[in-house]
């Protein structure tokens, strides 16, 4: 049972890391395309969205 829980945790962690990585890359693309006036605005939006999410 403990091994299964650990495997599920590791898999969930990897998935979350991949999602965050994609969000950061999307933010960088938006900044490069001029869709945001400041890179700080992208970072603030991402931080606000994910600050209180449960892990």
């Amino acid at each position: 049972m403990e091994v299964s829980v650990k495997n599920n945790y590791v898999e969930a962690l990897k998935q979350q890391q991949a999602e965050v990585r994609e969000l950061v890359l999307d933010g960088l693309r938006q900044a490069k395309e001029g869709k945001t006036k400041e890179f700080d605005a992208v970072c603030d939006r991402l931080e606000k969205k994910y600050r209180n999410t449960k892990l």
Side-chain angles (χ1 to χ4, degrees):
M1 175 78 173
E2 188 175 320
V3 173
S4 177
V5 171
K6 185 176 180 180
N7 287 340
N8 288 344
Y9 172 77
V10 170
E11 200 59 39
L13 183 60
K14 287 180 183 179
Q15 180 65 31
Q16 288 176 347
Q17 289 173 336
E19 289 173 7
V20 169
R21 191 175 301 116
E22 280 302 312
L23 289 169
V24 170
L25 291 174
D26 285 343
L28 288 171
R29 277 188 223 106
Q30 288 178 2
K32 286 179 182 178
E33 293 171 359
K35 291 184 179 179
T36 183
K37 292 183 180 184
E38 294 183 25
F39 183 70
D40 289 338
V42 173
C43 294
D44 289 344
R45 188 175 70 239
L46 290 171
E47 184 178 2
K48 182 180 177 183
K49 184 174 181 179
Y50 291 100
R51 176 176 291 280
N52 296 319
T53 58
K54 294 181 182 180
L55 297 178

XYZ file of all heavy atoms in Angstrom:
450
model
N 0.825 -1.194 0.000
C 0.000 0.000 0.000
C 0.871 1.260 0.000
O 0.597 2.192 -0.730
C -0.922 -0.046 1.234
C -1.744 1.178 1.443
S -3.129 1.177 0.320
C -4.020 2.552 0.875
N 1.906 1.283 0.836
C 2.762 2.451 0.955
C 3.497 2.730 -0.344
O 3.647 3.888 -0.747
C 3.771 2.241 2.081
C 4.587 3.468 2.401
C 5.488 3.252 3.593
O 5.060 2.622 4.571
O 6.629 3.717 3.532
N 3.928 1.709 -1.033
C 4.628 1.866 -2.306
C 3.696 2.471 -3.347
O 4.083 3.347 -4.113
C 5.194 0.512 -2.790
C 5.770 0.642 -4.177
C 6.231 -0.013 -1.815
N 2.458 2.036 -3.342
C 1.471 2.561 -4.285
C 1.221 4.048 -4.051
O 1.141 4.827 -5.003
C 0.163 1.783 -4.145
O -0.812 2.327 -4.988
N 1.107 4.436 -2.810
C 0.887 5.844 -2.471
C 2.091 6.667 -2.900
O 1.944 7.749 -3.467
C 0.615 6.010 -0.953
C 0.616 7.468 -0.558
C -0.697 5.353 -0.576
N 3.291 6.154 -2.639
C 4.505 6.871 -3.019
C 4.585 7.018 -4.533
O 4.927 8.090 -5.039
C 5.748 6.144 -2.504
C 7.025 6.899 -2.758
C 8.220 6.211 -2.145
C 9.486 7.000 -2.414
N 10.651 6.364 -1.824
N 4.269 5.967 -5.276
C 4.286 6.034 -6.740
C 3.263 7.041 -7.254
O 3.545 7.796 -8.185
C 4.027 4.662 -7.347
C 5.209 3.743 -7.206
O 6.330 4.182 -6.992
N 4.959 2.447 -7.309
N 2.083 7.061 -6.646
C 1.050 8.019 -7.044
C 1.507 9.450 -6.772
O 1.277 10.349 -7.578
C -0.258 7.751 -6.307
C -0.947 6.502 -6.796
O -0.642 5.983 -7.866
N -1.856 5.993 -5.998
N 2.170 9.654 -5.639
C 2.665 10.985 -5.291
C 3.729 11.447 -6.289
O 3.687 12.577 -6.763
C 3.242 10.975 -3.879
C 3.944 12.258 -3.513
C 3.212 13.390 -3.171
C 5.329 12.342 -3.531
C 3.844 14.576 -2.857
C 5.972 13.525 -3.212
C 5.225 14.634 -2.880
O 5.857 15.808 -2.576
N 4.655 10.572 -6.594
C 5.737 10.916 -7.526
C 5.157 11.230 -8.900
O 5.559 12.203 -9.546
C 6.773 9.769 -7.603
C 7.753 9.994 -8.730
C 7.508 9.636 -6.279
N 4.210 10.441 -9.340
C 3.588 10.661 -10.649
C 2.823 11.987 -10.678
O 2.903 12.742 -11.647
C 2.660 9.496 -10.986
C 2.346 9.364 -12.437
C 3.581 9.177 -13.315
O 4.518 8.470 -12.932
O 3.601 9.774 -14.405
N 2.083 12.283 -9.603
C 1.343 13.542 -9.523
C 2.300 14.734 -9.505
O 2.046 15.753 -10.140
C 0.448 13.559 -8.290
N 3.406 14.601 -8.781
C 4.400 15.663 -8.717
C 5.005 15.934 -10.093
O 5.142 17.087 -10.506
C 5.497 15.306 -7.719
C 6.567 16.354 -7.479
C 5.960 17.643 -6.936
C 7.616 15.812 -6.521
N 5.334 14.884 -10.813
C 5.892 15.042 -12.164
C 4.886 15.739 -13.082
O 5.257 16.612 -13.872
C 6.272 13.690 -12.748
C 7.499 13.093 -12.133
C 7.812 11.739 -12.760
C 9.006 11.083 -12.120
N 9.286 9.771 -12.698
N 3.621 15.370 -12.969
C 2.575 15.976 -13.795
C 2.437 17.463 -13.480
O 2.341 18.290 -14.392
C 1.243 15.261 -13.567
C 0.104 15.818 -14.382
C 0.292 15.640 -15.866
O 0.901 14.676 -16.307
N -0.242 16.544 -16.645
N 2.448 17.810 -12.207
C 2.336 19.214 -11.819
C 3.536 20.018 -12.296
O 3.382 21.155 -12.741
C 2.196 19.338 -10.302
C 0.847 18.892 -9.798
C 0.767 18.921 -8.293
O 1.779 19.052 -7.596
N -0.437 18.798 -7.769
N 4.713 19.450 -12.205
C 5.910 20.140 -12.672
C 5.830 20.403 -14.173
O 6.196 21.488 -14.637
C 7.159 19.334 -12.336
C 7.494 19.325 -10.868
C 8.641 18.390 -10.528
O 8.916 17.446 -11.255
N 9.294 18.644 -9.413
N 5.333 19.434 -14.921
C 5.194 19.610 -16.366
C 4.179 20.706 -16.678
O 4.390 21.531 -17.570
C 4.784 18.298 -17.023
N 3.082 20.744 -15.926
C 2.059 21.762 -16.141
C 2.604 23.160 -15.836
O 2.365 24.100 -16.596
C 0.838 21.469 -15.271
C 0.048 20.261 -15.724
C -1.069 19.885 -14.765
O -1.318 20.637 -13.795
O -1.684 18.844 -14.980
N 3.326 23.288 -14.742
C 3.900 24.587 -14.379
C 4.909 25.021 -15.428
O 4.939 26.186 -15.842
C 4.540 24.534 -12.974
C 5.364 25.784 -12.698
C 3.468 24.365 -11.916
N 5.726 24.093 -15.889
C 6.722 24.399 -16.925
C 6.028 24.934 -18.180
O 6.451 25.930 -18.762
C 7.515 23.136 -17.253
C 8.727 23.370 -18.102
C 9.542 22.084 -18.295
N 9.982 21.516 -17.038
C 9.597 20.310 -16.568
N 8.806 19.547 -17.261
N 10.046 19.870 -15.405
N 4.940 24.292 -18.586
C 4.198 24.744 -19.770
C 3.591 26.129 -19.553
O 3.585 26.959 -20.460
C 3.106 23.741 -20.143
C 3.630 22.559 -20.910
C 4.341 22.959 -22.195
O 3.802 23.769 -22.972
O 5.455 22.456 -22.418
N 3.081 26.374 -18.354
C 2.506 27.692 -18.068
C 3.568 28.786 -18.130
O 3.317 29.871 -18.664
C 1.844 27.690 -16.691
C 0.555 26.883 -16.594
C 0.137 26.729 -15.140
C -0.541 27.543 -17.401
N 4.737 28.500 -17.610
C 5.819 29.485 -17.662
C 6.232 29.739 -19.104
O 6.413 30.891 -19.522
C 7.019 29.024 -16.810
C 8.233 29.901 -17.049
C 6.644 29.019 -15.341
N 6.350 28.673 -19.883
C 6.715 28.838 -21.291
C 5.638 29.607 -22.054
O 5.954 30.435 -22.911
C 6.973 27.475 -21.935
C 8.222 26.753 -21.432
C 8.291 25.356 -22.028
C 9.469 27.544 -21.736
N 4.368 29.361 -21.740
C 3.279 30.122 -22.365
C 3.388 31.600 -22.011
O 3.180 32.468 -22.859
C 1.918 29.583 -21.925
C 1.564 28.276 -22.585
O 2.190 27.917 -23.611
O 0.654 27.590 -22.072
N 3.714 31.877 -20.745
C 3.883 33.265 -20.328
C 5.026 33.939 -21.067
O 4.911 35.091 -21.484
N 6.121 33.222 -21.241
C 7.246 33.776 -21.989
C 6.873 34.041 -23.443
O 7.238 35.078 -24.012
C 8.437 32.827 -21.926
C 9.150 32.741 -20.580
C 10.155 31.605 -20.590
C 9.822 34.053 -20.257
N 6.131 33.124 -24.044
C 5.681 33.323 -25.434
C 4.803 34.566 -25.541
O 4.947 35.353 -26.473
C 4.912 32.094 -25.927
C 5.798 31.004 -26.426
C 4.989 29.881 -27.077
N 5.560 28.630 -26.619
C 5.037 27.796 -25.729
N 3.863 28.044 -25.212
N 5.662 26.711 -25.364
N 3.898 34.727 -24.590
C 3.029 35.906 -24.603
C 3.841 37.184 -24.481
O 3.559 38.169 -25.167
C 2.019 35.829 -23.460
C 0.944 34.810 -23.668
C -0.006 34.738 -22.484
O 0.132 35.487 -21.518
N -0.961 33.836 -22.556
N 4.833 37.177 -23.625
C 5.670 38.368 -23.455
C 6.441 38.661 -24.735
O 6.548 39.819 -25.153
C 6.626 38.169 -22.284
N 6.970 37.639 -25.383
C 7.728 37.836 -26.619
C 6.840 38.324 -27.761
O 7.282 39.070 -28.625
C 8.412 36.537 -27.028
C 9.594 36.187 -26.169
C 10.231 34.887 -26.604
C 11.384 34.511 -25.705
N 11.978 33.221 -26.091
N 5.583 37.882 -27.770
C 4.650 38.282 -28.824
C 4.044 39.653 -28.560
O 3.278 40.163 -29.374
C 3.534 37.243 -28.949
C 4.015 35.901 -29.461
C 2.953 34.828 -29.374
O 1.825 35.098 -28.893
O 3.254 33.687 -29.773
N 4.357 40.230 -27.428
C 3.823 41.553 -27.101
C 2.393 41.520 -26.613
O 1.709 42.530 -26.609
N 1.924 40.359 -26.195
C 0.551 40.252 -25.711
C 0.408 40.758 -24.279
O -0.686 40.864 -23.771
C 0.069 38.803 -25.789
C -0.109 38.332 -27.208
C -0.675 36.941 -27.260
C -0.882 36.496 -28.703
N -1.405 35.142 -28.775
N 1.505 41.042 -23.658
C 1.478 41.644 -22.333
C 2.458 42.815 -22.341
O 3.469 42.773 -23.019
C 1.843 40.625 -21.236
O 1.737 41.265 -19.973
C 3.222 40.056 -21.419
N 2.132 43.832 -21.617
C 2.978 45.015 -21.625
C 4.246 44.806 -20.806
O 5.265 45.387 -21.101
C 2.204 46.213 -21.095
C 1.098 46.626 -22.027
C 0.396 47.845 -21.539
C -0.707 48.192 -22.525
N -1.395 49.402 -22.192
N 4.159 43.976 -19.783
C 5.308 43.744 -18.929
C 5.398 42.270 -18.564
O 4.391 41.615 -18.334
C 5.184 44.544 -17.631
C 5.245 46.029 -17.806
C 5.186 46.727 -16.458
O 5.562 46.112 -15.444
O 4.747 47.873 -16.443
N 6.607 41.775 -18.499
C 6.806 40.396 -18.080
C 6.325 40.199 -16.648
O 5.811 39.155 -16.295
C 8.278 40.010 -18.214
C 8.543 38.579 -17.860
C 8.096 37.559 -18.681
C 9.230 38.259 -16.712
C 8.330 36.240 -18.360
C 9.464 36.942 -16.385
C 9.015 35.928 -17.210
N 6.467 41.242 -15.815
C 6.001 41.160 -14.435
C 4.509 40.866 -14.376
O 4.041 40.176 -13.472
C 6.291 42.454 -13.682
C 7.768 42.639 -13.399
O 8.508 41.622 -13.392
O 8.186 43.789 -13.176
N 3.750 41.385 -15.321
C 2.314 41.132 -15.343
C 2.031 39.652 -15.563
O 1.123 39.085 -14.958
C 1.645 41.964 -16.436
N 2.819 39.010 -16.420
C 2.659 37.575 -16.656
C 2.966 36.809 -15.374
O 2.199 35.930 -14.962
C 3.584 37.098 -17.799
C 3.542 35.587 -17.936
C 3.199 37.759 -19.105
N 4.069 37.156 -14.736
C 4.455 36.471 -13.503
C 3.424 36.691 -12.402
O 3.071 35.761 -11.679
C 5.821 36.947 -13.037
S 7.140 36.495 -14.164
N 2.922 37.902 -12.282
C 1.912 38.195 -11.271
C 0.647 37.387 -11.508
O 0.046 36.873 -10.567
C 1.569 39.689 -11.257
C 2.691 40.540 -10.699
O 3.604 39.980 -10.049
O 2.660 41.768 -10.938
N 0.243 37.276 -12.777
C -0.960 36.514 -13.104
C -0.773 35.039 -12.758
O -1.658 34.412 -12.173
C -1.303 36.693 -14.579
C -2.641 36.083 -14.947
C -3.029 36.370 -16.380
N -2.171 35.627 -17.283
C -1.390 36.168 -18.215
N -1.379 37.464 -18.396
N -0.648 35.416 -18.987
N 0.385 34.472 -13.082
C 0.641 33.078 -12.767
C 0.710 32.852 -11.260
O 0.166 31.879 -10.743
C 1.941 32.614 -13.421
C 1.915 32.475 -14.934
C 3.315 32.217 -15.472
C 0.982 31.362 -15.344
N 1.358 33.779 -10.567
C 1.466 33.642 -9.119
C 0.089 33.714 -8.466
O -0.231 32.916 -7.585
C 2.369 34.729 -8.562
C 2.604 34.602 -7.080
C 3.539 35.664 -6.533
O 3.990 36.537 -7.294
O 3.813 35.600 -5.331
N -0.725 34.654 -8.908
C -2.065 34.802 -8.351
C -2.895 33.540 -8.603
O -3.609 33.066 -7.724
C -2.758 36.005 -8.986
C -4.134 36.268 -8.454
C -4.757 37.478 -9.129
C -6.162 37.699 -8.655
N -6.801 38.822 -9.347
N -2.762 32.972 -9.785
C -3.542 31.797 -10.141
C -3.146 30.571 -9.320
O -3.997 29.789 -8.930
C -3.363 31.503 -11.629
C -4.200 30.361 -12.147
C -4.077 30.225 -13.635
C -4.939 29.110 -14.150
N -4.848 28.967 -15.607
N -1.869 30.421 -9.033
C -1.395 29.189 -8.412
C -0.949 29.334 -6.959
O -0.546 28.343 -6.352
C -0.265 28.596 -9.252
C -0.817 28.089 -10.548
C -0.709 28.840 -11.697
C -1.510 26.894 -10.596
C -1.267 28.394 -12.887
C -2.066 26.450 -11.761
C -1.939 27.204 -12.910
O -2.495 26.770 -14.069
N -1.041 30.500 -6.393
C -0.583 30.702 -5.020
C -1.351 29.828 -4.041
O -0.770 29.201 -3.156
C -0.722 32.152 -4.604
C -0.351 32.390 -3.141
C -0.391 33.842 -2.765
N 0.671 34.598 -3.393
C 1.925 34.648 -2.969
N 2.280 33.978 -1.921
N 2.833 35.377 -3.594
N -2.647 29.741 -4.152
C -3.463 29.051 -3.156
C -3.982 27.696 -3.620
O -4.879 27.146 -3.011
C -4.639 29.935 -2.743
C -4.169 31.202 -2.062
O -3.248 31.160 -1.268
N -4.780 32.320 -2.383
N -3.407 27.148 -4.677
C -3.854 25.843 -5.130
C -3.310 24.768 -4.204
O -2.222 24.869 -3.654
C -3.401 25.536 -6.565
O -1.987 25.614 -6.631
C -4.027 26.494 -7.545
N -4.102 23.737 -4.013
C -3.692 22.622 -3.162
C -2.803 21.687 -3.965
O -3.050 21.425 -5.116
C -4.902 21.880 -2.655
C -5.757 22.721 -1.725
C -6.935 21.951 -1.232
C -7.789 22.842 -0.341
N -8.961 22.154 0.177
N -1.776 21.205 -3.320
C -0.855 20.271 -3.983
C -1.251 18.852 -3.730
O -1.698 18.370 -2.846
C 0.571 20.506 -3.501
C 1.132 21.880 -3.842
C 2.533 22.024 -3.278
C 1.193 22.070 -5.339
